[in-house]
C-alpha cells in the first residue's frame, strides 16, 4: 500500500463478541475520521473460560481474516485475548497490533495514589495475571488485587443491567465486597463488557475509588500510534464501519444498536474456521 | 462388530459442556452395566445462543469423533443440539441417535391433566419451538407456554445455585413468575443444566406443578431401545466411563466431580475441529 492507501485503510477491531463494541465506540469518538472493520467471534464466545491454546488459535484466524480487509492496525478489543494471545501474535504478524491491557495498566498506575490497584475481569484474564505483570513492570511497588466476575458478562448480555437492577446490584455486592473493603484506590474494568456496568459499579464502589476504562485508554494509544507513524486518516471522505461475526448476526445487531451511537444496518456472517 | 462386541460397545453422550452430565448420571443410574464415552464441547459452548447451521456442524463433528470410539448408540444430551440438529444427523448417520426432547415431551403429555404444559430452556431451544411441535404431534390439543431463561446456565456453572440462593431465587422469580401465574400444571426442564436447579424451581413453582426431567426420560428411552435391539450390556466386567472435552479440561473435571456420584480422574482434551 502507498501512503495514501495506508491512511485510508481501516482499523481492525476484534473481540469474542459484542463486548469490544465499547472499544470500537471509543475509537469512533476519539478518531472520528477512521474506518473500522469489526469482528465479533460469536460462534466461539465466551473466551473468558477457555484455554490459552484455543484463544491463540482463534486470534490468529481472526487476524488473518482482518488482513484480507487490508487493515493498517489491529486492536484486540478483548482483555482475555490480549492476556493470552497478544505477545504471540505481535511476534507473528507485521501489522501493528495493540491490546487493551497495557493502556489500562498504565492509566491505573498514573491514577493511583497509594499504589493499590484492583482489577476485575473474566476468569481467563484474572488467572493469566497479565494486568499484575504489566502494572509491576511500570511500578514495581504496586499491589494488585484481582477478582474474576464471570456473571457480569451474561448480566450485561441478557439485559439484566438495564431491566433488573436489584439482581445486578446483588451480584456486584457478591463479587466486589472484598474489593470495596480493601484499600484499593483505583480499579480497572478489565473486561470490555464492564463499561456497560460502569455506573452500577461506580455507585457501589463510591467516590474514593477511581475507575479506569481500558477501552478509552486503548483508543488514546491507537491515536498516538497512528499520529507517530503518519498513518491517521484525514477527513473529507465518508467514513465506513463494517461489522462481521462468526454466528448469530441478528442478535449481534440488536446489541450493537443498543451500544453504538448510530444505526447499524448490516452485519456480515463469515465462517472463521476457513481462515 | 459382532453381537458380543456390540453389547460391550459404549454409549456416546454429548453436550456443549457439563450440562449433559445430568443425562450421563441418569444413564449410569438406570443402566449401570453400560460403558459411556462422554464428549463436552467446552471450546464452543454455550450452544444456546448460536445458529442452527453452527449447531449442525458441531454435532456432525462430535458424532464423527464418537464413531472413532465405536459407540453403539448416541444420546444428544443437550436440548439445543437436539432441537437444531437431531433430525439432520439421524438421516446422515447409521448409529442410533436419540435426543432429549421426544422423551421429555412424551412424559409431559402423560403427566398433564389440563393439557397446559410449560417449557423452560435456552434461547435456541425455545425459539426453535421444537418442544411445542413434538408435544402437539402427540397431543394436538395441548397448549405450550415456552420461556427462555438464559441466566440459569451461568448461575449453575458459577456455583451461585449452591452459594448464593438469594440471587438464584430472584432470577427464578424474574423468569418464572408468568409461568407460575399461568394454568400450566406440568413443566419441562428443557435444558440439561436445569436439573441442578431443580429443588429451587420446585420450591418456587409449588406442588401444583409437576416437573419433568428429560434427562431421566431419555435414559429410560435408551434402556428400551437397547433391550429391543438386544444391544444391552450384561454385567460381569468392570465398566468404563471416559470423558473428552474440546477445551479447559481442569474446569470440566471440577464440575464433573460435583455432579457425578463417583470420582472422575481423567479428562482427555481433543481438537474437535479435526473431525
Amino acid at each position: 500500500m502507498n501512503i495514501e492507501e495506508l491512511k485510508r485503510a481501516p482499523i481492525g477491531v476484534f473481540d469474542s463478541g459484542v463486548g469490544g463494541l465499547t472499544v470500537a465506540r471509543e475509537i469512533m469518538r476519539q478518531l472520528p475520521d477512521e474506518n473500522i472493520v469489526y469482528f465479533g467471534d460469536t460462534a466461539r464466545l465466551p473466551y473468558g473460560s477457555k484455554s490459552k491454546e484455543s484463544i491463540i488459535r482463534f486470534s490468529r484466524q481472526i487476524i488473518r481474516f482482518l488482513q484480507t480487509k487490508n487493515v493498517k492496525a489491529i486492536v484486540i478489543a478483548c482483555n482475555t485475548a490480549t492476556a493470552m494471545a497478544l505477545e504471540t501474535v505481535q511476534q507473528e504478524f507485521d501489522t501493528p497490533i495493540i491490546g487493551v491491557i497495557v493502556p489500562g495498566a498504565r492509566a491505573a498506575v498514573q491514577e493511583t495514589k497509594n499504589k493499590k490497584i484492583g482489577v476485575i475481569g473474566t476468569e481467563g484474564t484474572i488467572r493469566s495475571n497479565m494486568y499484575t505483570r504489566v502494572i509491576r513492570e511500570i511500578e514495581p511497588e504496586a499491589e494488585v488485587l484481582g477478582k474474576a466476575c464471570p456473571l457480569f458478562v451474561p448480566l450485561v448480555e441478557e439485559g439484566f443491567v438495564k431491566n433488573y437492577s436489584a439482581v445486578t446490584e446483588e451480584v456486584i455486592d457478591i463479587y466486589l465486597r472484598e474489593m470495596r473493603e480493601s484499600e484499593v484506590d483505583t480499579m480497572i474494568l478489565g473486561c470490555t463488557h464492564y463499561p456497560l456496568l460502569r455506573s452500577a459499579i461506580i455507585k457501589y464502589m463510591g467516590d474514593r475509588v477511581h475507575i479506569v476504562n481500558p477501552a478509552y485508554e486503548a483508543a488514546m494509544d491507537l491515536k498516538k500510534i497512528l499520529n507517530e507513524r503518519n498513518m491517521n486518516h484525514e477527513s473529507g471522505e465518508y467514513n465506513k464501519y463494517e461489522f462481521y461475526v462468526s454466528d448469530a448476526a441478528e442478535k449481534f445487531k440488536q446489541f450493537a444498536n443498543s451500544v453504538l451511537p448510530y444505526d447499524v444496518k448490516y452485519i456480515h456472517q463469515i465462517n472463521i474456521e476457513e481462515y
Side-chain angles (χ1 to χ4, degrees), chain A residues 250-273:
Chain A
E250 198 45 46
K251 197 182 175 194
F252 182 92
K253 191 168 124 182
Q254 283 169 26
F255 199 93
N257 279 320
S258 75
V259 172
L260 296 178
Y262 81 103
D263 198 28
V264 178
K265 288 211 175 57
Y266 301 105
I267 310 285
H268 309 273
Q269 190 173 327
I270 60 155
N271 181 1
I272 192 65
E273 294 289 351

Short mmCIF file of all heavy atoms in Angstrom, two decimals, chain A residues 250-273:
data_model
loop_
_atom_site.label_atom_id
_atom_site.label_comp_id
_atom_site.label_asym_id
_atom_site.label_seq_id
_atom_site.Cartn_x
_atom_site.Cartn_y
_atom_site.Cartn_z
N GLU A 250 -28.09 -11.53 13.78
CA GLU A 250 -29.26 -10.72 14.18
C GLU A 250 -29.16 -10.27 15.63
O GLU A 250 -29.39 -9.11 15.96
CB GLU A 250 -30.53 -11.54 13.94
CG GLU A 250 -31.82 -10.73 13.89
CD GLU A 250 -31.71 -9.47 13.04
OE1 GLU A 250 -31.18 -9.51 11.90
OE2 GLU A 250 -32.16 -8.41 13.52
N LYS A 251 -28.78 -11.21 16.50
CA LYS A 251 -28.63 -10.88 17.92
C LYS A 251 -27.53 -9.84 18.12
O LYS A 251 -27.65 -8.91 18.92
CB LYS A 251 -28.31 -12.16 18.70
CG LYS A 251 -28.54 -11.99 20.18
CD LYS A 251 -28.19 -13.22 20.99
CE LYS A 251 -28.34 -12.89 22.47
NZ LYS A 251 -27.71 -13.88 23.34
N PHE A 252 -26.43 -10.01 17.37
CA PHE A 252 -25.32 -9.06 17.44
C PHE A 252 -25.81 -7.67 17.05
O PHE A 252 -25.47 -6.68 17.69
CB PHE A 252 -24.21 -9.51 16.50
CG PHE A 252 -22.99 -8.62 16.53
CD1 PHE A 252 -21.94 -8.90 17.38
CD2 PHE A 252 -22.91 -7.50 15.72
CE1 PHE A 252 -20.82 -8.07 17.42
CE2 PHE A 252 -21.81 -6.66 15.75
CZ PHE A 252 -20.75 -6.95 16.60
N LYS A 253 -26.60 -7.60 16.01
CA LYS A 253 -27.09 -6.31 15.50
C LYS A 253 -27.92 -5.59 16.56
O LYS A 253 -27.74 -4.40 16.80
CB LYS A 253 -27.91 -6.54 14.24
CG LYS A 253 -28.24 -5.27 13.49
CD LYS A 253 -28.80 -5.59 12.13
CE LYS A 253 -30.15 -4.94 11.97
NZ LYS A 253 -30.73 -5.29 10.66
N GLN A 254 -28.81 -6.34 17.20
CA GLN A 254 -29.62 -5.73 18.26
C GLN A 254 -28.75 -5.13 19.35
O GLN A 254 -28.96 -4.02 19.80
CB GLN A 254 -30.55 -6.77 18.90
CG GLN A 254 -31.76 -7.11 18.05
CD GLN A 254 -32.49 -8.33 18.60
OE1 GLN A 254 -32.43 -8.64 19.78
NE2 GLN A 254 -33.18 -9.04 17.73
N PHE A 255 -27.76 -5.92 19.76
CA PHE A 255 -26.89 -5.45 20.84
C PHE A 255 -26.08 -4.24 20.37
O PHE A 255 -25.95 -3.25 21.09
CB PHE A 255 -25.96 -6.57 21.30
CG PHE A 255 -25.38 -6.32 22.66
CD1 PHE A 255 -26.01 -6.81 23.79
CD2 PHE A 255 -24.24 -5.55 22.81
CE1 PHE A 255 -25.49 -6.55 25.05
CE2 PHE A 255 -23.71 -5.29 24.06
CZ PHE A 255 -24.34 -5.79 25.19
N ALA A 256 -25.53 -4.32 19.16
CA ALA A 256 -24.73 -3.22 18.61
C ALA A 256 -25.55 -1.93 18.60
O ALA A 256 -25.06 -0.86 18.96
CB ALA A 256 -24.25 -3.56 17.20
N ASN A 257 -26.80 -2.06 18.25
CA ASN A 257 -27.64 -0.86 18.19
C ASN A 257 -27.99 -0.31 19.56
O ASN A 257 -28.38 0.85 19.68
CB ASN A 257 -28.90 -1.13 17.37
CG ASN A 257 -28.60 -1.02 15.88
OD1 ASN A 257 -27.87 -0.14 15.45
ND2 ASN A 257 -29.15 -1.94 15.10
N SER A 258 -27.80 -1.12 20.61
CA SER A 258 -28.02 -0.58 21.95
C SER A 258 -26.74 0.05 22.52
O SER A 258 -26.78 0.79 23.49
CB SER A 258 -28.56 -1.66 22.89
OG SER A 258 -27.53 -2.55 23.27
N VAL A 259 -25.59 -0.27 21.91
CA VAL A 259 -24.30 0.23 22.43
C VAL A 259 -23.77 1.40 21.60
O VAL A 259 -23.23 2.36 22.14
CB VAL A 259 -23.25 -0.91 22.43
CG1 VAL A 259 -21.86 -0.39 22.78
CG2 VAL A 259 -23.65 -2.00 23.41
N LEU A 260 -23.90 1.32 20.28
CA LEU A 260 -23.28 2.32 19.41
C LEU A 260 -24.21 3.50 19.18
O LEU A 260 -25.43 3.36 19.18
CB LEU A 260 -22.90 1.68 18.07
CG LEU A 260 -21.84 0.58 18.18
CD1 LEU A 260 -21.57 -0.02 16.82
CD2 LEU A 260 -20.55 1.09 18.80
N PRO A 261 -23.61 4.69 18.96
CA PRO A 261 -24.41 5.90 18.84
C PRO A 261 -24.99 6.11 17.44
O PRO A 261 -25.48 7.17 17.14
CB PRO A 261 -23.40 7.00 19.18
CG PRO A 261 -22.09 6.44 18.75
CD PRO A 261 -22.17 4.97 18.90
N TYR A 262 -24.89 5.11 16.58
CA TYR A 262 -25.52 5.28 15.27
C TYR A 262 -26.15 3.94 14.88
O TYR A 262 -25.92 2.91 15.51
CB TYR A 262 -24.50 5.75 14.22
CG TYR A 262 -23.66 4.65 13.65
CD1 TYR A 262 -23.92 4.15 12.38
CD2 TYR A 262 -22.64 4.07 14.40
CE1 TYR A 262 -23.18 3.11 11.87
CE2 TYR A 262 -21.90 3.03 13.89
CZ TYR A 262 -22.16 2.55 12.64
OH TYR A 262 -21.44 1.51 12.13
N ASP A 263 -26.93 3.97 13.82
CA ASP A 263 -27.72 2.80 13.45
C ASP A 263 -26.90 1.80 12.64
O ASP A 263 -26.42 2.12 11.55
CB ASP A 263 -28.92 3.31 12.62
CG ASP A 263 -30.01 2.27 12.56
OD1 ASP A 263 -30.12 1.48 13.51
OD2 ASP A 263 -30.76 2.27 11.56
N VAL A 264 -26.73 0.59 13.18
CA VAL A 264 -26.01 -0.46 12.46
C VAL A 264 -27.01 -1.23 11.59
O VAL A 264 -27.96 -1.80 12.11
CB VAL A 264 -25.32 -1.44 13.43
CG1 VAL A 264 -24.61 -2.54 12.66
CG2 VAL A 264 -24.35 -0.71 14.34
N LYS A 265 -26.80 -1.20 10.28
CA LYS A 265 -27.79 -1.81 9.38
C LYS A 265 -27.41 -3.22 8.95
O LYS A 265 -28.24 -4.10 8.86
CB LYS A 265 -27.99 -0.94 8.14
CG LYS A 265 -28.77 0.33 8.46
CD LYS A 265 -29.60 0.78 7.26
CE LYS A 265 -30.47 1.96 7.62
NZ LYS A 265 -29.68 3.12 8.14
N TYR A 266 -26.12 -3.43 8.62
CA TYR A 266 -25.71 -4.73 8.09
C TYR A 266 -24.65 -5.38 8.96
O TYR A 266 -23.69 -4.74 9.36
CB TYR A 266 -25.14 -4.58 6.67
CG TYR A 266 -26.14 -3.97 5.73
CD1 TYR A 266 -26.00 -2.64 5.33
CD2 TYR A 266 -27.24 -4.70 5.28
CE1 TYR A 266 -26.93 -2.06 4.48
CE2 TYR A 266 -28.17 -4.12 4.44
CZ TYR A 266 -28.02 -2.81 4.04
OH TYR A 266 -28.95 -2.24 3.22
N ILE A 267 -24.84 -6.66 9.21
CA ILE A 267 -23.83 -7.45 9.89
C ILE A 267 -23.55 -8.62 8.96
O ILE A 267 -24.46 -9.34 8.56
CB ILE A 267 -24.35 -8.01 11.24
CG1 ILE A 267 -24.98 -6.91 12.12
CG2 ILE A 267 -23.25 -8.75 11.98
CD1 ILE A 267 -24.05 -5.97 12.79
N HIS A 268 -22.28 -8.82 8.60
CA HIS A 268 -21.93 -9.91 7.70
C HIS A 268 -21.52 -11.13 8.52
O HIS A 268 -20.75 -11.00 9.46
CB HIS A 268 -20.75 -9.50 6.81
CG HIS A 268 -20.97 -8.19 6.13
ND1 HIS A 268 -21.61 -8.08 4.92
CD2 HIS A 268 -20.63 -6.93 6.50
CE1 HIS A 268 -21.65 -6.80 4.57
NE2 HIS A 268 -21.07 -6.08 5.51
N GLN A 269 -22.01 -12.29 8.12
CA GLN A 269 -21.61 -13.50 8.84
C GLN A 269 -20.60 -14.29 8.00
O GLN A 269 -20.82 -14.51 6.80
CB GLN A 269 -22.84 -14.35 9.15
CG GLN A 269 -22.53 -15.50 10.09
CD GLN A 269 -23.79 -16.22 10.54
OE1 GLN A 269 -24.86 -15.62 10.69
NE2 GLN A 269 -23.67 -17.51 10.77
N ILE A 270 -19.49 -14.70 8.59
CA ILE A 270 -18.47 -15.47 7.87
C ILE A 270 -18.14 -16.74 8.64
O ILE A 270 -18.43 -16.84 9.83
CB ILE A 270 -17.16 -14.65 7.68
CG1 ILE A 270 -16.57 -14.25 9.06
CG2 ILE A 270 -17.40 -13.40 6.83
CD1 ILE A 270 -15.09 -14.01 9.02
N ASN A 271 -17.52 -17.70 7.95
CA ASN A 271 -17.03 -18.91 8.63
C ASN A 271 -15.57 -18.71 8.99
O ASN A 271 -14.68 -18.85 8.16
CB ASN A 271 -17.20 -20.13 7.72
CG ASN A 271 -16.72 -21.41 8.41
OD1 ASN A 271 -16.29 -21.38 9.57
ND2 ASN A 271 -16.80 -22.52 7.70
N ILE A 272 -15.32 -18.38 10.25
CA ILE A 272 -13.96 -18.02 10.68
C ILE A 272 -13.01 -19.21 10.65
O ILE A 272 -11.80 -19.05 10.56
CB ILE A 272 -14.00 -17.34 12.07
CG1 ILE A 272 -12.65 -16.69 12.43
CG2 ILE A 272 -14.44 -18.30 13.16
CD1 ILE A 272 -12.24 -15.53 11.54
N GLU A 273 -13.56 -20.43 10.68
CA GLU A 273 -12.69 -21.62 10.65
C GLU A 273 -11.98 -21.75 9.30
O GLU A 273 -11.03 -22.52 9.17
CB GLU A 273 -13.49 -22.90 10.93
CG GLU A 273 -14.05 -23.01 12.35
CD GLU A 273 -12.99 -23.25 13.43
OE1 GLU A 273 -11.82 -23.50 13.09
OE2 GLU A 273 -13.34 -23.13 14.62
#
